[in-house]
Amino acid sequence: MQLVGQPVPRKEGRDKVTGQSRYIDDLHFPEMLYGATVRSAVARGRIKNISFEGDVPWDEFVVVTAKDIPGENCVALILMDQPFLAGEFVNHPEEPVLLLAHPDKYLLEEARRHVRVEIEPLPAIFSLKDSVNQKEIIWGEDNVFKSYHVEKGNVDEVWGNADFIVEGEYETGAQEQLYIENNGVIAIAAPENGVTVWGSMQCPYYVHKALVKLFNLPEDKIRVVQVETGGGFGGKEEYPSMIAGHAALLAWKSGRPVKIVYDRAEDMSATTKRHPSWTKHRTAVTREGKLLGMEIDFVVDGGAYATLSAVVLSRGTIHAAGPYFCPNVRIKSRAVATNMPPHGAFRGFGAPQSIFALERHLNKVAQKIGFSPEEFRRRNFIHEGETTATNQVIHEKVDMEGLLSRAFELTDYEAKQKRFAESNQNSRQKKGIGFATFMHGAGFTGSGEKYLESVVGAEATSEGRVRILAASTEIGQGTNTVFAQIAAEALKLDYDSIEIAKPDTGNVPNSGPTVASRTTMIVGKLVESAVLGLKQTLIISGLLKENYTPEDFQEACRRYIGQHGALKSFSKYKAPPGINWDDEKYEGDAYGAFAWAVYVAEVTVDMVTYEARVDDFVALQEVGRVIHPVLAAGQIEGGVAQGIGYTLFEKVVWQDGRMINNQMTNYIMPTAADIPPIRVFFEENPYTFGPSGAKGIGELPMDGPAPAILNAIENATGISINHIPLMPESLIEVLGGERG
Amino acid sequence: MADASPKVEINCTVNNERVTLHAYPMARLLDVLREELRLTGTKEGCGEGECGACSVLIDGVLVNSCLIPVLQIEGTEIKTIEGIASGDQLHAVQQAFISCGGAQCGICTPGMVIAAVNLLERTPNPSQAEIRTGLAGNLCRCTGYIKIFEAVVQACQSVEAKS
């Protein structure tokens, strides 16, 4: 039976719809304490004193400060600059300073409010531009966590020959991941047994690595188990290391299990968000509409510590020039420090920011040279055999023109544009239609996958069932289901005969983090080769013939395990042939494969209330082979909804480095009543090195909505707006100004 | 602090079983369900009545259990996600959520299923606009709601087909 391409039932579907799935806050351990975090109230400063006040029975509390840390006081990631608990200095207003634990969570909250941390303030920086201008040096020598320089051709020579030179500036705001389940963990720890943490997370081995350093323990003394996770979107890539460390420190000191689950306000204000960005474009074009040169300056605000900003910046940089062929490109990019909580991973990982800038800018260029946005793009789309900004030769068949034509047919684009232009003349409701064309690379950037050396295991049981051993987490996207489909298809077994082991570092190999649209394409391929290894072993041992039935397979497993013991197979990542990346020059094959897409938005702007609404959305993409049509469409629809939120709803309001609208009441995400019909279409062009031809899709849908919607708003109103989120109040400013 | 006033006895029905609870009068129904009765299918998402992850039915009315002081449930009939299926037989809404892909991470799903069941009880054949309004109090960050709308439509059709 063919399984790939079929909408088989989600593995954990029944438990989820009946309320039987157990998330971290649903678990209770005997003798368990609750933990809480006391944070700085000051954006930057030196800790002078900590006192315990109020009518609180302080002797009942477990108290942990930086002095109690048995190993290194740093959250191990790329650079070792972020402490678990501030010692002498604080660098952002949500910085953890002290931990408390108590059996009564109500008393705990009371106590948390009565810890007084006296801090002598130091000058702080609260905006990306102040950081770039070095208003104050708050990190390293120049506030710069990381910079990249991509150079293709000779940009300096193009300006003299250009018929047109077009410049523009574009800005994007922070965005909260807003998974509906807040961050949470439970830890048990003791010097003799080591540390075990259960939690809501994307990357168990990231947490493992951080705890090894924090406790200075051997790797086998640390165990990290992912429990059912209520959404991540990048927000549970890095932060779980912090909260896991905190719970483990309290457990270590108290000798009892400790649970820390954030409430919504703490989760929103203290954990990571999408990096705000600022992009400048300078573009040289010919009269015929050909791109001659692009100069791009891309800056993201990393917050107070380096965390993952270097990698976010990398993806944003590589995507900054889009799916176009341009012979001369220079991209300079920087991630800079501010005294805000560190910004982190969020679906798209830098690409939505730089693609927003590019896709808005190209409309400006088109207008300047007298082309329609679509005609200008058609003259510059990249093709097989041409090179991207990093000089990566595209070796797959790319048909952006075809995608654009199909997207226009699906939306009746040209007819609508004409109709709206007429009906807008006498209406306060201005309608418009716009689009964005873009690509998204799947898997880790450059040499990332090679360094990761991900491993997936498969084991057979004596009943002939196959269990997949991987650290890749199910966080709602359907990992368990897709892995089972790939494995069952490869072995010609029933879907139900495949099990997925719980991601537990004590039991599964490190298949890498669950990020970067890599789980299906990269890890799925390892699943495929690991299970084929089982079959190979059975064939070599003479217990199975090439043409077998599921019953033959079961019998062979039973006999093999009877004769030899365990039947396991492991598969380790090997880069597909011909992938070369130069980290020094930032040049070469940035990604094994790209997904290609055209998104079209139809909008209405009310010129009296200044509300902008999306009326219809079409998402058309080429993602290789679609493994599971329902899950794949679900990924696209969910990503588009988040993209609509990013564009029109979700504004983080900052005050002295702190998010002050840290509630669902005043940070607004789209509801069922706000979302337009989202119509999803796939073109399938199987990718040779993906499992059954699949490429990654998870992040792609985050890239297109913002530029498509603002391009549509420009079409509706004639006004060019180059920042998001676009709230009614900023529309008032822009449109009100236009009316004088 | 929570123990400012003494615990009170409260009698009500939860998922068709009569229960007697001892709780602080201002304890949230959400906490009493999760901690006293261990009915952890009801989730906390925001604690301020915005997200609907804690939705339950009190006498057939859809409420956010994080906003209900337990004192208010004396003598009422409460239904939580654990009471939606009949034994092994899933409710049509639950079945449709599985087949349409209405549940991704699953954390909003119990509340969303409750809201959808309640919508269909009130409006057996809802229009698209009624579905959207009926579910607007339940936030989902994964699906973009489209597959949830499809699930509600499919649930209606399967209920109709049976009757």
Side-chain angles (χ1 to χ4, degrees), chain A residues 118-151:
Chain A
E118 276 174 67
I119 298 172
E120 176 193 344
L122 291 168
I125 280 186
F126 301 124
S127 83
L128 187 159
K129 288 180 185 175
D130 282 350
S131 182
V132 168
N133 294 329
Q134 304 190 359
K135 190 177 163 198
E136 194 72 41
I137 299 293
I138 58 161
W139 197 92
E141 286 171 7
D142 54 4
N143 292 340
V144 177
F145 291 128
K146 184 75 184 180
S147 61
Y148 296 106
H149 184 166
V150 171
E151 189 83 28

Side-chain angles (χ1 to χ4, degrees), chain A residues 78 146 148 150 206 237 308-320 348-351 388 390 392 440-453 513 515-518 521-522 573 575 579-583 586-594 699:
Chain A
I78 298 168
K146 184 75 184 180
Y148 296 106
V150 171
Y206 277 11
E237 173 170 356
L308 290 167
S309 291
V311 207
V312 171
L313 183 71
S314 158
R315 187 171 279 270
T317 303
I318 291 168
H319 286 78
F349 213 67
T388 66
T390 63
Q392 171 167 6
H440 196 99
F444 262 37
T445 301
S447 34
E449 291 295 346
K450 218 165 70 188
Y451 291 134
L452 270 179
E453 297 192 312
V515 302
S517 310
R518 66 185 293 278
M521 185 175 103
I522 304 276
Y573 177 79
I579 293 214
N580 296 298
W581 177 255
D582 184 334
D583 265 323
Y586 235 64
E587 192 175 71
D589 300 311
Y591 300 100
F594 293 93
E699 296 173 294

Side-chain angles (χ1 to χ4, degrees), chain A residues 14 23 26 105 663 675, chain B residues 35 43 48 88 105 132:
Chain A
R14 190 181 174 96
Y23 298 78
D26 304 334
K105 62 181 172 184
Q663 294 171 275
I675 288 297
Chain B
E35 290 166 17
K43 307 299 181 190
E48 55 180 1
D88 280 347
C105 84
R132 285 164 178 272

Side-chain angles (χ1 to χ4, degrees), chain A residues 530-545:
Chain A
V531 299
L532 288 175
L534 296 178
K535 177 177 114 178
Q536 209 52 37
T537 304
L538 292 172
I539 289 175
I540 291 170
S541 61
L543 296 170
L544 193 67
K545 288 196 211 90

Side-chain angles (χ1 to χ4, degrees), chain A residues 10 14 16-17 22-23 25-26 105 176-177 264 476 634 637-638 642 650 663-665 670 672 675, chain B residues 1 34-35 40 43 45-46 48 50 81 88 90 94 103-107 132 140-142 145-147:
Chain A
R10 173 185 276 278
R14 190 181 174 96
K16 282 178 172 170
V17 302
R22 293 281 174 263
Y23 298 78
D25 201 22
D26 304 334
K105 62 181 172 184
E176 166 59 33
Q177 292 88 358
R264 179 59 59 184
E637 289 158 5
Q642 289 176 356
E650 301 179 34
Q663 294 171 275
M664 283 178 163
T665 307
I675 288 297
Chain B
M1 257 173 273
R34 289 176 52 81
E35 290 166 17
T40 55
K43 307 299 181 190
C46 69
E48 55 180 1
E50 289 290 340
I81 186 66
D88 280 347
L90 295 182
Q94 291 171 313
Q104 284 190 27
C105 84
I107 197 81
R132 285 164 178 272
C140 170
R141 191 58 153 171
C142 293
Y145 305 103
I146 305 295
K147 301 261 176 277

Side-chain angles (χ1 to χ4, degrees), chain A residues 8-10 13-14 16-18 630-631, chain B residues 81 90-104 106 108-117 119-120 131 135 138 140 143 145-155 158:
Chain A
V8 296
R10 173 185 276 278
R14 190 181 174 96
K16 282 178 172 170
V17 302
T18 53
V630 172
L631 292 179
Chain B
I81 186 66
L90 295 182
H91 189 283
V93 166
Q94 291 171 313
Q95 193 57 58
F97 265 64
I98 294 176
S99 53
C100 295
Q104 284 190 27
C108 78
T109 307
M112 196 66 85
V113 166
I114 294 261
V117 167
L119 170 68
L120 296 187
I131 295 174
L135 301 180
N138 292 74
C140 170
T143 61
Y145 305 103
I146 305 295
K147 301 261 176 277
I148 293 173
F149 302 155
E150 289 170 13
V152 173
V153 171
Q154 192 187 85
S158 72

